[in-house]
Amino acid sequence: MLNAHLNFKLLEMCSKCGACFSICPSCVNLPGYDPRIVIKDILAGDWEKWLTSKSIWQCLECHHCLEICFQHYGFENAMTALRTIAAKRGIHPTQVKRGWDMFVKTSKLGDPALPARKKLGLPEPAKSGAEEFKKLYALLKEKKAKSGKTH
Amino acid sequence: MKDFAVFWGCTIQTRFPFIEKSTRLVLDEFKLPHRDIDGFTCCPEKSLINNIDHSLFVLTAARNVALADEHDCDIVSPCTGCVSNLATVKGELKYNPVEKNEVNSLLKEVGREFKGTAKLSHLVPFFHDVVGLQTIKQKMKKSFSGLKIALHYGCHMIRPSHALKNDDPLNPKKFDNIIRALGAESMNFPTKMMCCGQGLDRVDQHDLALFMARVKLKELKSLGADAMVLCCPSCFLQFDNNQYLMEKEGEKLGIPVIYFTELLGLGMGYSAEELGMNQHRSDCAPFIKKWEALLKKPDDEAIIENDLNTAGALG
Ligand code: SF4
Ligand code: SF4
């Protein structure tokens, strides 16, 4: 399952390198956050336990590791792959689920603050594309159901 | 200069309309060909949407770019996340024709097509590269000389670089160049390039988000920064709002947080109230006060000029 998301050859290199650890803001600041261990576990086939861990959601997707990496790969790929699988199994932080629900329902993560706009003298906000978005999302789901894909 | 649609994104319009205010004032004042187009949705936010459904992430972003393609205009955004997400998808589709066809077969059903002709820029590199430092300087009525400014770039202004290609992703310069052009000192400090950490707030880890905000704000306090300047609503939320929450708990860090367009607006002569800066949660008044005092002081050049033109020691 992880194979679909990750390049194991590049991860092998990671397990010998670790160069991005010292510039990763989460590695430096958050006790217990260490993708080096996660990558070792992935390579050993022992990654299921990470799906319920807080760590995989602590990657800030800042892409610092990607940029400093000689393979242009980065720790983040391992964390993203695990988050994707966790989310598919319904294991995600409440706020991620809330954001997702709001997005698929309204096409946005919030509505323009109208009274505040008025006070500031801002023009009417442009129309949102919610209706068309919903149509597209329905089409996408239909297409996936037909092809049997889950993502 | 080609017309551009401003991509405001959800966070600015939902939580920080005053950022839209200062951005519009500045764009108008520079007479830039900006417009609003109907039909944009959330970019969408990568950390929330991509983890759950990559194909919906791609389809939504492609549709947003397609709208600008149709209007034959570019996109400029005051949100780093929006630009980075849209550019990531644009880049992905450029190099993956199969995926592009799949996306377009769906978009066709609603009468649209992703071409990817619209150029995507974040406001800061746009001002640096397209407007230009010289024009910026000409528009400024007041200098920020004598002020120490700590820039926070915002990761997604410059990364991932393969999609954005607008500055050095590890050692960017453009925002600094603008700050210096405004007369201020752009500080160097150890955590300058460190991510704000706001993402932790979106995954139910508020205490850790505060922890990350504190690391940078404390450093800036000890170095005597007059303000933090940034250009991303997520980073703004992290440093303005979360700083206020810490202050409410008795931890006073006192670093004014200023949006890029607010700083430009101040320099062009707008008041903090006109720019909506009184709606920040953390107080900007100390910065304004110090700045006004500096403006009243005659600068070195004027003092020398004065000495040369008046009766000096030699009578
Ligand atoms: S993207 Fe994630 S893993 Fe990479 S440096 Fe940033 S926080 Fe660390
Ligand atoms: S992501 Fe790149 S820099 Fe980081 S450990 Fe792996 S190979 Fe090294």
Side-chain angles (χ1 to χ4, degrees):
Chain A
M1 184 191 285
L2 263 185
N3 301 34
H5 299 282
L6 288 171
N7 183 329
F8 278 69
K9 272 211 187 98
L10 299 182
L11 281 188
E12 284 285 350
M13 298 297 282
C14 270
S15 69
K16 296 185 194 108
C17 166
C20 55
F21 184 86
S22 58
I23 58 141
C24 165
S26 294
C27 297
V28 173
N29 290 298
L30 311 179
Y33 182 84
D34 192 345
R36 295 176 303 186
I37 303 173
V38 181
I39 287 167
K40 283 217 169 76
D41 284 342
I42 290 176
L43 290 170
D46 184 23
W47 47 267
E48 288 268 343
K49 60 184 180 205
W50 289 103
L51 297 180
T52 49
S53 131
K54 267 188 175 176
S55 269
I56 60 172
W57 299 96
Q58 289 174 340
C59 165
L60 297 158
E61 303 188 54
C62 71
H63 310 309
H64 228 132
C65 52
L66 177 84
E67 301 289 356
I68 211 169
C69 175
F70 69 98
Q71 319 188 88
H72 202 64
Y73 197 56
F75 278 168
E76 59 167 311
N77 280 287
M79 305 316 256
T80 306
L82 289 169
R83 277 198 305 270
T84 307
I85 294 174
K88 258 189 206 94
R89 297 196 188 163
I91 319 166
H92 34 51
T94 331
Q95 279 186 86
V96 171
K97 183 69 174 47
R98 205 183 300 144
W100 165 264
D101 286 345
M102 176 173 255
F103 171 66
V104 290
K105 224 164 88 195
T106 66
S107 86
K108 291 213 157 199
L109 295 176
D111 286 322
L114 295 178
R117 293 183 73 81
K118 215 167 172 189
K119 240 200 221 150
L120 286 160
L122 287 169
E124 281 278 309
K127 289 194 195 75
S128 97
E131 288 316 309
E132 190 179 305
F133 165 83
K134 278 185 229 165
K135 222 165 128 187
L136 267 177
Y137 183 42
L139 285 167
L140 178 67
K141 279 197 285 195
E142 209 178 284
K143 192 178 157 197
K144 277 190 199 165
K146 264 194 212 148
S147 70
K149 261 197 207 164
T150 53
H151 56 273
Chain B
M1 189 184 303
K2 201 168 165 187
D3 280 19
F4 61 90
V6 182
F7 197 96
W8 297 105
C10 304
T11 313
I12 289 179
Q13 292 207 316
T14 308
R15 303 200 56 163
F16 308 121
F18 52 88
I19 291 177
E20 182 173 337
K21 178 77 183 180
S22 64
T23 305
R24 282 187 188 276
L25 283 175
V26 167
L27 294 177
D28 286 341
E29 193 76 31
F30 276 84
K31 298 195 173 49
L32 298 169
H34 68 98
R35 49 167 129 149
D36 288 87
I37 60 180
D38 287 333
F40 283 144
T41 62
C42 176
C43 50
E45 161 59 39
K46 191 164 179 243
S47 63
L48 294 180
I49 309 309
N50 194 44
N51 290 319
I52 300 187
D53 189 339
H54 178 67
S55 46
L56 183 60
F57 171 70
V58 171
L59 182 62
T60 310
R63 184 187 160 277
N64 283 324
V65 176
L67 286 174
D69 286 346
E70 274 165 40
H71 283 83
D72 192 27
C73 63
D74 293 335
I75 287 178
V76 175
S77 180
C79 172
T80 66
C82 291
V83 178
S84 170
N85 293 331
L86 294 173
T88 297
V89 170
K90 187 181 157 184
E92 187 172 321
L93 295 181
K94 191 171 160 198
Y95 293 107
N96 190 340
V98 178
E99 194 182 12
K100 185 176 161 187
N101 283 344
E102 275 178 30
V103 162
N104 270 334
S105 75
L106 285 168
L107 286 176
K108 203 173 159 201
E109 306 253 353
V110 294
R112 303 211 183 274
E113 184 189 358
F114 167 88
K115 293 199 192 88
T117 46
K119 247 184 91 184
L120 316 174
S121 319
H122 179 268
L123 204 57
V124 168
F126 175 81
F127 262 86
H128 186 276
D129 299 342
V130 182
V131 177
L133 295 179
Q134 219 37 47
T135 311
I136 298 175
K137 274 190 197 166
Q138 280 164 4
K139 282 273 176 210
M140 292 298 129
K141 297 199 179 100
K142 299 173 182 172
S143 163
F144 292 96
S145 166
L147 290 164
K148 281 166 82 173
I149 287 187
L151 275 184
H152 177 79
Y153 268 80
C155 301
H156 298 137
M157 185 194 295
I158 44 176
R159 294 190 291 269
S161 60
H162 59 259
L164 290 160
K165 298 187 198 74
N166 61 19
D167 207 339
D168 184 326
L170 297 170
N171 188 19
K173 290 273 175 291
K174 291 183 181 171
F175 211 170
D176 291 83
N177 290 344
I178 297 179
I179 294 302
R180 290 188 192 114
L182 302 181
E185 172 190 342
S186 180
M187 297 167 69
N188 279 320
F189 52 103
T191 62
K192 183 167 179 179
M193 291 316 298
M194 192 177 92
C195 176
C196 69
Q198 167 59 211
L200 294 161
D201 248 339
R202 288 195 291 266
V203 293
D204 306 346
Q205 301 190 29
H206 179 62
D207 286 349
L208 291 178
L210 291 188
F211 179 84
M212 291 270 297
R214 190 179 288 120
V215 170
K216 197 172 276 218
L217 290 168
K218 265 182 136 169
E219 182 170 285
L220 294 185
K221 189 178 179 183
S222 72
L223 293 172
D226 292 309
M228 174 191 267
V229 172
L230 44 71
C231 195
C232 170
S234 285
C235 306
F236 185 83
L237 185 65
Q238 169 74 333
F239 291 116
D240 183 67
N241 199 58
N242 278 348
Q243 184 180 180
Y244 166 76
L245 295 179
M246 290 189 272
E247 198 176 312
K248 253 182 27 187
E249 297 293 318
E251 188 178 358
K252 177 133 176 89
L253 291 158
I255 304 289
V257 180
I258 299 176
Y259 215 75
F260 171 54
T261 46
E262 294 173 338
L263 192 71
L264 289 180
L266 288 171
M268 288 184 310
Y270 288 103
S271 72
E273 285 73 32
E274 284 172 304
L275 295 160
M277 290 172 72
N278 44 351
Q279 293 179 30
H280 291 201
R281 307 295 289 275
S282 300
D283 195 10
C284 291
F287 175 81
I288 305 284
K289 221 169 125 192
K290 178 162 177 189
W291 181 47
E292 279 169 352
L294 282 169
L295 286 172
K296 274 194 207 114
K297 227 172 70 184
D299 60 23
D300 296 344
E301 225 171 289
I303 294 171
I304 295 168
E305 190 78 9
N306 185 52
D307 286 353
L308 290 173
N309 292 325
T310 50
L314 300 175

